[in-house]
Amino acid sequence: MTANEVRNVAITEVLNRSGVETAEIHPLSETWACDVFNLAKMEEALSKNAFKAVKKTVQTGEPLDPATADIVASAMKHWAMGKGAKFFSHVFYPLTNITAEKHDGFIVTNADGNAITEFTGSLLIKGEPDGSSFPNGSLRMTNAARGYTAWDPTSPAYIMQTANGATLMIPSVFMSWTGEALDKKIPLLRSNAAMDKAARRVLTLMGETDIAPLNASCGPEQEYFLVDQHFAAARPDLLLAGRTLFGAAPAKGQEFDDHYFGAIPERVQIFMQAFEDKLYRLGIPAKTHHNEVAPGQFEIAPYHEAANVAADHQQLLMTVMKATAAEHGFLCLLHEKPFAGINGSGKHVNWSVGNSTQGNLLDPGTSPEHNLNFLLFCGAVIRGVHKFGPLLRAVIATASNDHRLGANEAPPAILSVYLGDQLEAVFDDIKNGKVSVSSDGGVMDLGLSQILNFKRDPGDRNRTSPFAFTGNRFEFRAVGSSQSVSGPLVAMNTMLADSLGWIADKLEAELAAGNSKVKAVATVLQELMQLHGNAIFGGDGYSAEWHEAAVTERGLRNLPTSADALPVFTEPEVVELFESTDVLSAVELNARYEVYAEQYINSIAVEAKLVIDLAKTVIYPAALKYVADLAHTYTAVEALGASFDTGQVKVITENMNRLLETVAELATELDRHDFADTKAHMAHSATTIRALMDQARVHADALECEVDDAAWPLPKYREMLFIK
Ligand code: ADP
Ligand code: MG
């Protein structure tokens, strides 16, 4: 079939699609977490003592003794086999964005050649995938490349069901023999521990005595596109790069705002219900779904959970979403910008910290004591965003997210923090010393009456801010839709740990000098605001004035591309941040920089090669055939003594020539390897390669607007976005 026939078949198939497949949806009470080996199932399966030991491990992450591990492994195997599992797999999160698994059978044969099953504590606790092919940023020599996986008991094991069977999945960390983190889970666990330690210091200084373990919470909102699989099959760019590299804008886009929160198309609704049914089985609390701004774009937001579990669930959600979409005849696109000219997709990471004794420390409450804590934690976030804004930019730096950041739909590449009018006013007063403390250290004098009256106002939003306070949490809005949430969570937890440490030092000194708690808080926060208040911004983050003022007046950094942002991982303050909090060593951090930089360069190179390929072998030939047709027709018409205006042929041939010229230049630039260092190579990808790809697209899209629709080889935007 020619490309053009594929497009026509796709259109025919989609238009003739007979009814939508539906699956049986079960009541929540039957399905909720039925495939998860959670504490409730352990309690049923284990002896009292074994359960007590494992519960402690689950809650604290402390290692399990080998005897108990054997008991847990055996119970887990029994439960999993009861659900049809014959295989188990440690699931881990290498530095690529994927979720990695290596499946092993429970089966072993005994001396008599009979098949028996085995799953010991040591198999549960430790796995040895031959991880030599995972990127490690030269942390391991390949000849000594064995990394190993280790069970993370704080994230429950679960069953992955397919039509043909089931597999027991064990969430794990992935590290080198020398103990270096090779994955995204280890730093997340370490960052939570660092945050817990620093938060505990502050809370103790504030007079709290009963302090339960602190945890970061995360509620990610996932945006995505759905395109009918028939169209996707005829778009090599969607299949290989996850986004359209060519495609003229349709006559209608999102200008009528008629998609956002609109009625969900039935076919999509049925997909969502089937998808969420699977999530519920896996104990993922899917809560909200709706249409998004762009045609063909949707969102799903699970309810927030402990950050480590939320991060695992988020990875699982993306896997299940893609698989379920395929069952429903869709290609699910998680790319940040699958279609030019309409909104891209993000993943807002809602984040807070708290525990069972003090509650959510980013939620202003009704007690003055709680509000003092709230102000300190909120101040710590402000300091973190100011000091480590460039790091926050670096952890969301991917080739795909660059298409979205800074465009007028997604947060700018300058990191500032939005507090809302009321809270901003409180922090302003603190900064300007307008807060006076009464002689008896009265709390109300701290300007807290405003906080006490703080109402969670969902309308009090600033959608142009990359990092916004939303009443009881911060929402990191600049995160990309295809990303793991781990990197952003690690950065937030770690910057918070650092700031809380700074606050604790200052508080300690103030209190030692005999000041009241309230006076000490006011003094410390005033200094904090004088040093770091510049990060607070409530205005229009998209405006040109802000881009100017942020840099010149506020001293904030604008890092427009990932090529600018990724080197932040190697800057001394960032290395110091991660080392001092024991989250990542300088070596581990540098490995991450190398891996991410390489991914950036590679993903742009793959797209560039596709641009060259499609331009030369699909788009150019289609235009050439059409020109030949036109020439034929012109000759025939001239034979009749009439003639056509040949302007159209000129436009077409002109764009064809420029297209070939541009991709030839692109090929030459792609072949270059004479870069001083990785940074220079990234800059070349960001500027030269990307610019030539854009230029090629201009000519290709111009051709799409000239060539006979019946002869155009690639499904068009209007088809992919509007035909469901
Ligand atoms: P919106 O689109 O208005 O931002 P959504 O309801 O789509 O809100 O998503 C909000 C997300 O924030 C949900 O995942 C929710 O569970 C999460 N969330 C709510 N409170 C907290 C909190 N304290 N900490 C972390 N996440 C939270
Ligand atoms: Mg949101």
Side-chain angles (χ1 to χ4, degrees), residues 177-198:
W177 280 114
T178 40
E180 274 121 356
L182 297 172
D183 73 347
K184 301 198 174 193
K185 188 189 258 291
I186 292 174
L188 181 52
L189 294 170
R190 289 184 191 155
S191 71
N192 200 73
M195 183 278 295
D196 172 71
K197 191 171 147 199

Side-chain angles (χ1 to χ4, degrees), residues 371-410:
N371 279 333
L372 274 185
N373 291 340
F374 163 74
L375 282 181
L376 286 172
F377 277 73
C378 200
V381 174
I382 295 169
R383 178 181 179 274
V385 175
H386 184 243
K387 226 178 148 212
F388 299 108
L391 171 66
L392 292 173
R393 173 65 185 92
V395 295
I396 51 163
T398 61
S400 49
N401 206 19
D402 275 4
H403 291 286
R404 170 179 166 266
L405 290 182
N408 260 12
E409 56 170 276

